[in-house]
Amino acid sequence: GFEKIKSIIDGIGNIYLSNDNCTNQAVLCGERDSIEKCRKILNEKDIFNQILSFKSGFHSPFAQEYIPELKLHLRKLKFMAPRIPIFSSTTLSTYPLDTEEIIKLQEQHILHPVRFRELTEKLYTEGFRVFIQIGAGGLTGFIDDTLMGKDFHAIAASVPQRPALSQVKRVLASLF
């Protein structure tokens, strides 16, 4: 988790937190030399780590070059006020309603870390107890790890093990 590695990356240049997923998982983004320095320290401290099979730079200052194109595309969209609150995993607050503020927030999303662990903790503190993952990924596992030992329920609406309708029925039964 990020709490364990923060002091390590603070001493290395050109490496950034990209995703603070849960208590036991963080994703870093950095230049090759910086990543290798970090890995060496992590290995010496017996902290599991691995190099991911892709390069992106998203959720770090390395993604700065994508901002002009992002803004160009976002300005073509029409934003509407949500019916339910939408939270940002960058600011840990609800999305703004103003179009220019939404565009600024999207820019922050590209350049700053995903703070999923902190958002999960905040939502739990605010009374949220049921978490439904829409789409692919490991978010339910991140929630399980972050809220371990607490009263909550996390379920994915789509899983590769069964057809979509079967899983939606499981979600509905689970909510019932």
Side-chain angles (χ1 to χ4, degrees):
F2 183 59
E3 299 303 321
K4 286 183 182 177
I5 62 171
K6 184 180 181 331
S7 63
I8 295 170
I9 68 168
D10 284 347
I12 302 172
N14 294 318
I15 188 168
Y16 304 93
L17 172 69
S18 208
N19 295 66
D20 181 4
N21 289 332
C22 56
T23 308
N24 291 300
Q25 187 186 84
V27 179
L28 304 177
C29 180
E31 292 181 355
R32 186 176 305 275
D33 291 347
S34 300
I35 293 291
E36 288 306 321
K37 285 179 190 174
C38 183
R39 288 195 79 200
K40 183 179 182 211
I41 295 167
L42 294 173
N43 289 336
E44 288 169 358
K45 295 180 178 285
D46 286 328
I47 297 174
F48 175 77
N49 65 88
Q50 69 184 48
I51 301 287
L52 298 176
S53 61
F54 62 89
K55 298 177 184 179
S56 79
F58 286 112
H59 311 301
S60 81
F62 293 120
Q64 183 66 48
E65 67 184 274
Y66 302 109
I67 298 301
E69 188 173 350
L70 172 71
K71 286 182 176 180
L72 179 72
H73 291 291
L74 288 173
R75 292 196 194 293
K76 294 176 184 176
L77 300 175
K78 179 183 176 192
F79 296 97
M80 299 181 331
R83 293 186 192 137
I84 59 172
I86 300 173
F87 287 84
S88 161
S89 60
T90 300
T91 64
L92 309 182
S93 300
T94 55
Y95 262 70
L97 298 178
D98 177 73
T99 297
E100 286 305 310
E101 292 299 314
I102 292 171
I103 292 171
K104 286 180 189 175
L105 179 58
Q106 290 305 113
E107 180 178 339
Q108 287 181 38
H109 282 198
I110 297 295
L111 298 175
H112 297 280
V114 174
R115 298 164 58 196
F116 192 75
R117 176 187 54 87
E118 289 177 274
L119 180 58
T120 301
E121 291 168 343
K122 176 185 171 130
L123 292 173
Y124 187 85
T125 299
E126 292 184 9
F128 290 83
R129 296 295 182 269
V130 176
F131 300 85
I132 302 172
Q133 176 181 321
I134 307 297
L139 298 182
T140 56
F142 299 159
I143 293 166
D144 288 344
D145 184 52
T146 300
L147 299 179
M148 188 178 299
K150 297 181 178 173
D151 181 30
F152 72 97
H153 183 64
I155 189 167
S158 176
V159 295
Q161 297 90 343
R162 66 187 58 83
L165 186 56
S166 294
Q167 184 62 18
V168 168
K169 288 176 183 178
R170 284 177 177 249
V171 171
L172 292 173
S174 177
L175 291 174
F176 178 75

